[in-house]
Amino acid sequence: MISTKGRYAVRFMIDMAQQPDDKPVTLDDVAQRQEISKKYMERVVKMLVSAGLVKGTSGKGGGYRLLRKPEEYNVMEILQVTEGRLTSVACLQEGAEECPREAKCLTLPMWKLFDEMVKDFFTNITIADLIKGHEQNS
């Protein structure tokens, strides 16, 4: 399950991509447009800044900017910042204890395939795709 942090991070990135490139976007403005608590959004944005997906500047005229074009951000990289590695079952999580049933588990290949499908799905969707898809459906 994708957490609120993951969903909000994607929404933040979409909102940023929809703003003019010439000036930084304030967290207050994004939080208001997205109807998300500014305090909660601060935690999410801090993760995005640390990961190098956005840049923040403080002071008068400060705010946040995307570091790349919207078509250069895929949803998977954003979700990995907030969610870590997405896995369907506990035994495939990073750092999980080795399962004593791994060698004879008939479902493990299915879970691995499912996780690859999820990864491929989110990797092949960009922020630009989401904006374009919304515009086409409006």
Side-chain angles (χ1 to χ4, degrees):
M1 190 161 95
I2 307 297
S3 72
T4 304
K5 275 191 271 188
R7 295 191 324 267
Y8 287 1
V10 173
R11 285 172 54 188
F12 176 83
M13 297 295 285
I14 291 169
D15 192 289
M16 295 288 294
Q18 291 177 309
Q19 306 311 312
D21 291 336
D22 58 339
K23 66 176 190 164
V25 179
T26 68
L27 196 55
D28 283 334
D29 289 344
V30 176
Q32 185 176 18
R33 280 192 297 271
Q34 294 300 317
E35 300 174 349
I36 298 171
S37 149
K38 180 185 174 189
K39 187 172 183 158
Y40 192 85
M41 188 55 90
E42 285 172 345
R43 286 187 266 160
V44 173
V45 173
K46 185 177 180 181
M47 297 171 86
L48 297 171
V49 170
S50 293
L53 298 183
V54 296
K55 180 180 181 181
T57 53
S58 55
K60 186 176 179 178
Y64 295 91
R65 294 178 189 258
L66 295 179
L67 293 173
R68 305 187 312 246
K69 296 177 182 174
E71 56 272 12
E72 295 173 357
Y73 289 97
N74 68 63
V75 173
M76 188 66 194
E77 72 178 313
I78 298 165
L79 291 176
Q80 284 177 325
V81 168
T82 59
E83 308 297 320
R85 185 167 174 248
L86 297 177
T87 57
S88 55
V89 291
C91 62
L92 292 176
Q93 288 181 341
E94 195 171 306
E97 289 184 32
E98 191 173 316
C99 177
R101 294 191 31 82
E102 183 176 347
K104 56 187 170 185
C105 181
L106 298 179
T107 62
L108 187 59
M110 173 186 67
W111 297 124
K112 286 181 177 180
L113 178 61
F114 179 74
D115 287 355
E116 276 303 308
M117 289 169 45
V118 169
K119 180 182 174 194
D120 291 345
F121 177 78
F122 286 129
T123 299
N124 288 306
I125 299 174
T126 68
I127 294 302
D129 293 334
L130 294 172
I131 293 168
K132 193 182 321 173
H134 177 73
E135 290 169 354
Q136 290 174 350
N137 292 328
S138 294

